[in-house]
Amino acid sequence: MKLDYTKEELAVQVAALEQLFSAVRIVDAYRGVLLDPVTLEAKGSMPPIPPLDEEGRAMQLAPRSEKRELLVCQGIQVEGRPLVLALYCPLPKQYRTSTGAQNSYDRALTQYREDMRRDYVTGVYNSNYLNGEYRDYAEKQAMQGQPVGVVMLRVNEYWALRSKESQQAAECCLNTAAGILQLAVGTDREHAVLARLEEGLFAAVTVGTPAARLAQNINAALESSRRVFSITLARRGTFTVSVASAEWGETSSWEMMLALAQQRL
């Protein structure tokens, strides 16, 4: 497949691919925007695409679609500009299966789609879900006058555990911390979600409640919990969590809100 295009060549390629796929999108992944395939001008937001491998490719179930669609991504260059070609391919329907087999297939797809939203270590939401699906929801709520904020949380011992003990000890620490934090944040996604951003960093985004109040609840939960985890079968460790918050009203921007809270850690 050709990977280096002029604008004119790309428009022809997109027109050809549209005969084969249910949808063809050109994405500026760095800016998170959808581009017009002819002019390459921004024409809307785009949810985060899956991370590309070393060959510039990625594939996953379409995360924001109720349809059975596979999202195939390919990194391309358009007149020296790095972009992503996103192809949506309908999965085949199971015409000759029993009702039970079809239901099992549907449940497996639903579970896989939910797994894509989750951090593989702690089970809380991942950064793709937070910065894609939940960001859209939170921004709409903020525009309607609802208080929106973020509480940034850093497990302070994470890096020391990785360098001085083991990856397993660091992940055990994160799992214990995530359990306490999740109980404090709750499971009602309309009001708050907890996500792991990277390594030992978590973010709890709240809708309808000031972030400072959620930060107080999290601090109270940490103070009242045993922050003990296993380093080895014979050794235990404890951890601490740094907490800082920021409100949407301080910045009126998703990126700046998260950056402000992280700066305050």
Side-chain angles (χ1 to χ4, degrees):
M1 180 179 178
K2 182 178 173 64
L3 301 179
D4 199 347
Y5 297 89
T6 64
K7 286 185 180 180
E8 293 76 14
E9 289 173 336
L10 180 64
V12 172
Q13 180 71 71
V14 169
L17 291 171
E18 285 177 338
Q19 306 302 311
L20 301 174
F21 296 91
S22 60
V24 179
R25 303 283 186 262
I26 306 299
V27 182
D28 185 329
Y30 180 76
R31 296 165 57 200
V33 295
L34 187 65
L35 304 179
D36 183 280
V38 176
T39 65
L40 295 187
E41 296 294 329
K43 68 173 190 177
S45 62
M46 181 75 181
I49 62 170
L52 304 181
D53 64 15
E54 60 186 13
E55 296 182 346
R57 298 171 184 166
M59 182 173 62
Q60 69 174 28
L61 284 176
R64 296 180 61 180
S65 174
E66 295 303 322
K67 302 176 184 177
R68 297 189 186 94
E69 288 185 316
L70 188 67
L71 172 59
V72 181
C73 296
Q74 174 66 61
I76 60 174
Q77 293 273 340
V78 183
E79 297 180 352
R81 182 179 177 184
L83 300 175
V84 175
L85 183 62
L87 310 171
Y88 290 82
C89 177
L91 295 177
K93 295 182 179 179
Q94 308 295 310
Y95 288 113
R96 298 184 179 181
T97 59
S98 65
T99 301
Q102 181 65 51
N103 289 340
S104 177
Y105 178 72
D106 290 342
R107 286 196 302 272
L109 287 180
T110 300
Q111 183 61 52
Y112 181 67
R113 186 172 284 114
E114 181 62 22
D115 288 345
M116 289 193 306
R117 299 170 168 176
R118 299 286 180 172
D119 171 51
Y120 71 97
V121 173
T122 63
V124 303
Y125 287 108
N126 57 31
S127 60
N128 282 341
Y129 173 76
L130 186 71
N131 290 309
E133 292 184 59
Y134 205 77
R135 171 180 177 166
D136 288 350
Y137 167 73
E139 287 181 333
K140 289 176 183 177
Q141 295 300 309
M143 296 307 175
Q144 295 173 8
Q146 289 288 331
V148 172
V150 61
V151 181
M152 203 67 66
L153 305 145
R154 184 180 63 236
V155 179
N156 298 314
E157 289 72 18
Y158 176 80
W159 281 109
L161 287 167
R162 280 196 60 173
S163 61
K164 297 179 181 180
E165 297 293 346
S166 66
Q167 177 72 25
Q168 291 75 15
E171 291 182 354
C172 185
C173 177
L174 283 188
N175 268 310
T176 303
I180 297 171
L181 298 175
Q182 186 66 79
L183 285 175
V185 172
T187 57
D188 186 347
R189 285 189 293 182
E190 291 188 0
H191 294 96
V193 295
L194 175 68
R196 182 186 174 198
L197 299 184
E198 58 185 24
E199 307 304 342
L201 192 66
F202 294 84
V205 175
T206 175
V207 176
T209 301
R213 187 182 305 171
L214 178 59
Q216 290 177 350
N217 294 340
I218 290 173
N219 277 319
L222 290 167
E223 287 296 325
S224 62
S225 301
R226 294 183 68 248
R227 301 186 299 276
V228 178
F229 65 96
S230 296
I231 297 176
T232 66
L233 290 177
R235 295 169 56 216
R236 301 291 183 268
T238 61
F239 65 88
T240 59
V241 178
S242 295
V243 181
S245 64
E247 307 290 346
W248 178 274
E250 295 181 273
T251 63
S252 298
S253 162
W254 176 268
E255 290 88 354
M256 291 181 67
M257 180 181 71
L258 267 64
L260 179 59
Q262 189 167 354
Q263 182 182 352
R264 289 172 172 170
L265 272 180

